[in-house]
Amino acid sequence: MKILVVGNGGREHTIAWKLGESPKVEKIYCAPGNGGTAMENKCENINASTNEELLDFALENAIDLTVVGPEVYLCEGIVDLFKKHNLKIFGPSKEASQLEGSKTYAKEFMKKHGVKTAGYEAFSCPKAALNYVKEVDYPIVIKADGLAAGKGVVIAGSVEEAEAAINDFMVNDTFKGAGKEIIVEEFLEGVEASILSITDGRVIIPFISSKDHKAIFEGNKGPNTGGMGTVAPNPYCTNEVLATFDQDILKPTLKGIQEDCLDYVGIIFFGLMINERGVYLLEYNVRMGDPETQVVLPLMDSSFVDLIEAAVEGRLEKEKVTFKNKTACCVIGASAGYPGKYETGEVIQGVKGNKEKVFYAGAALKNSKMVTSGGRVFGITALGDSLDEAREKAYSSLKNINFNGMYYRTDIGK
Ligand code: AMP
Ligand code: GLY
């Protein structure tokens, strides 16, 4: 089998690594890939970035299956385009991808189908939004409707902060159209969890739960990032929480997908908030999480490619997804300054010979040397019989790795 993996993050390195485990996979093309996929078994990086370029490559090279990492391609309709040309691709249609691409669409879907979520109001007029935030209790949450690279959510503690966010999003148009409409949402306290799952539109099978650490600094302080580390399973996802999630979120979501006739074959990522009132859905993502993937796939015993094929062929019901009875911890090594400005081109040393697996993200091979090329540079994933053991193994291996300005959080999973 020849597979095309679209994307260039740590998530895509992990996906390519996991797919490569299967003896039936001969070759994996990564578009555009990164320094990690350039060196991974069976993998080759290729230059293709637009949906049309990817389509041309898939047709010319008789690709058997395409797996899409980032949401942007999905929201731009790569699945519809590939299907029109009879190519096998794993991901939701453009219409279904709005569950991530538009917060208004997603919240309306949740409300219509009884998915438990925070109360909200949607606005397309800044004046109405500014009037509304004068009347509400604080804190509240303000969200840009469209994709904003993880920066479209502001937790406002006062009317002044809410007004500043509304002006930023709707009037100054910081997100170039993505903030022209907004959601103002009830603030929920609690602990967060990520549950990735796979669906063929007939069933949704949840994977092992995980926990992201979004803030840049220890103790969850400072601005949010794409994620500075993850653990799986999520210690807060007890059997009781998972049963509530199934009842209040997963089942109504599946019913909604079917009732709305959405063409949804792919990954659904449920971003959850757990508190004493139950389990709430904060958001849907229509793709795998990064760095959730770096802990979920290393724990997966099942063949990922078999699962994906079963989903694409609509026979997921007969599949069982199994995970190792272990805990995984992934710690991200980032460039100093991230999520703000940072340097690139720093040589990364000490990866070779490490016991634990390194998944590269913002890293590139230059003159046979691995150098930094992004904010989140790599993640190191270790498995253990307990969270403490996984943490200890990840951090002790991380100490061998170094580049100029390397930063990491010391409290992942603590
Ligand atoms: P989202 O993109 O909707 O997942 O929001 C990004 C982050 O903002 C989440 O991971 C939460 O940490 C926070 N957040 C979003 N919505 C809420 C909410 N209603 N209450 C509290 N925190 C929230
Ligand atoms: N780590 C969070 C995300 O992938 O959206």
Side-chain angles (χ1 to χ4, degrees):
M1 240 182 129
K2 286 196 277 183
I3 303 189
L4 174 62
V5 173
V6 180
N8 66 352
R11 164 181 55 204
E12 287 76 20
H13 184 183
T14 316
I15 291 172
W17 163 82
K18 178 70 183 165
L19 293 172
E21 271 184 1
S22 168
K24 72 175 168 202
V25 175
E26 296 150 49
K27 179 91 191 172
I28 303 167
Y29 295 98
C30 301
N34 60 34
T37 55
M39 302 209 325
E40 195 58 64
N41 191 22
K42 303 183 187 177
C43 291
E44 180 183 333
N45 288 352
I46 60 144
N47 255 333
S49 52
T50 65
N51 285 354
E52 282 68 27
E53 285 169 359
L54 291 160
L55 173 70
D56 287 346
F57 180 86
L59 287 171
E60 277 163 25
N61 294 276
I63 294 296
D64 299 298
L65 172 70
T66 298
V67 180
V68 186
E71 62 277 14
V72 191
Y73 297 90
L74 297 166
C75 291
E76 284 174 356
I78 190 169
V79 170
D80 312 60
L81 181 69
F82 271 50
K83 281 190 176 167
K84 224 192 278 169
H85 290 82
N86 293 319
L87 287 167
K88 253 193 202 173
I89 184 162
F90 179 62
S93 66
K94 182 174 181 173
E95 186 191 7
S97 298
Q98 289 183 83
L99 286 174
E100 175 166 3
S102 164
K103 299 267 189 212
T104 316
Y105 179 93
K107 292 295 277 192
E108 270 169 17
F109 176 94
M110 293 176 212
K111 197 165 156 186
K112 178 173 164 198
H113 299 292
V115 178
K116 189 158 171 165
T117 189
Y120 76 103
E121 292 288 333
F123 295 94
S124 51
C125 159
K127 239 188 185 161
L130 289 166
N131 278 336
Y132 177 75
V133 298
K134 288 197 179 84
E135 312 294 329
V136 296
D137 292 334
Y138 283 85
I140 50 159
V141 187
I142 297 180
K143 298 185 176 183
D145 177 62
L147 295 179
K151 300 193 176 92
V153 176
V154 167
I155 295 173
S158 64
V159 68
E160 290 76 24
E161 282 175 31
E163 284 169 354
I166 291 168
N167 281 322
D168 225 26
F169 288 11
M170 301 183 88
V171 183
N172 305 333
D173 197 16
T174 316
F175 301 124
K176 313 244 173 313
K180 280 292 193 190
E181 291 183 32
I182 61 158
I183 294 282
V184 181
E185 189 173 285
E186 169 199 5
F187 175 81
L188 297 174
E189 294 220 54
V191 289
E192 285 184 60
S194 304
I195 297 190
L196 316 188
S197 67
I198 186 166
T199 185
D200 58 0
R202 300 169 192 202
V203 290
I204 301 177
I205 306 181
F207 293 163
I208 196 165
S209 62
S210 53
K211 176 157 185 54
D212 195 5
H213 297 66
K214 287 200 170 111
I216 184 74
F217 300 127
E218 274 106 29
N220 297 322
K221 303 243 163 52
N224 267 357
T225 68
M228 293 303 292
T230 35
V231 297
N234 183 318
Y236 297 100
C237 287
T238 58
N239 286 340
E240 193 192 340
V241 163
L242 291 175
T244 312
F245 158 72
D246 183 65
Q247 201 57 38
D248 293 347
I249 294 168
L250 189 149
K251 283 208 171 85
T253 297
L254 180 61
K255 200 169 121 269
I257 287 173
Q258 292 168 349
E259 282 177 8
D260 288 0
C261 291
L262 294 181
D263 177 9
Y264 203 132
V265 173
I267 297 290
I268 309 184
F269 165 157
F270 298 92
L272 307 177
M273 186 70 90
I274 305 163
N275 62 29
E276 65 285 348
R277 288 187 289 149
V279 182
Y280 290 79
L281 183 66
L282 291 182
E283 63 166 349
Y284 292 113
N285 293 315
V286 296
R287 37 82 193 171
M288 310 230 354
D290 190 341
E292 283 88 343
T293 304
Q294 288 91 312
V295 284
V296 169
L297 290 186
L299 286 173
M300 186 185 278
D301 266 337
S302 313
S303 156
F304 194 35
V305 70
D306 288 352
L307 279 178
I308 291 175
E309 283 194 295
V312 171
E313 289 161 17
R315 50 179 176 79
L316 208 46
E317 200 164 11
K318 296 203 182 76
E319 293 290 318
K320 238 187 128 78
V321 191
T322 54
F323 289 89
K324 293 183 198 339
N325 190 17
K326 285 191 177 279
T327 299
C329 176
C330 169
V331 183
I332 298 291
S335 302
Y338 173 77
K341 279 201 181 119
Y342 52 81
E343 300 286 326
T344 58
E346 304 292 352
V347 177
I348 306 162
Q349 283 164 326
V351 172
K352 230 182 177 173
N354 256 303
K355 273 208 224 111
E356 312 306 338
K357 179 71 184 169
V358 170
F359 295 112
Y360 284 103
L365 261 186
K366 271 215 174 118
N367 306 323
S368 324
K369 282 196 174 133
M370 195 68 84
V371 299
T372 64
S373 64
R376 291 189 295 172
V377 174
F378 68 89
I380 189 156
T381 298
L383 307 191
D385 288 327
S386 65
L387 178 52
D388 280 345
E389 189 190 330
R391 265 177 52 77
E392 208 277 312
K393 280 162 116 180
Y395 278 107
S396 70
S397 258
L398 186 64
K399 289 202 181 87
N400 303 323
I401 306 176
N402 188 44
F403 60 84
N404 250 338
M406 180 171 127
Y407 168 79
Y408 59 91
R409 271 179 65 163
T410 58
D411 64 346
I412 302 304
K414 237 184 188 169

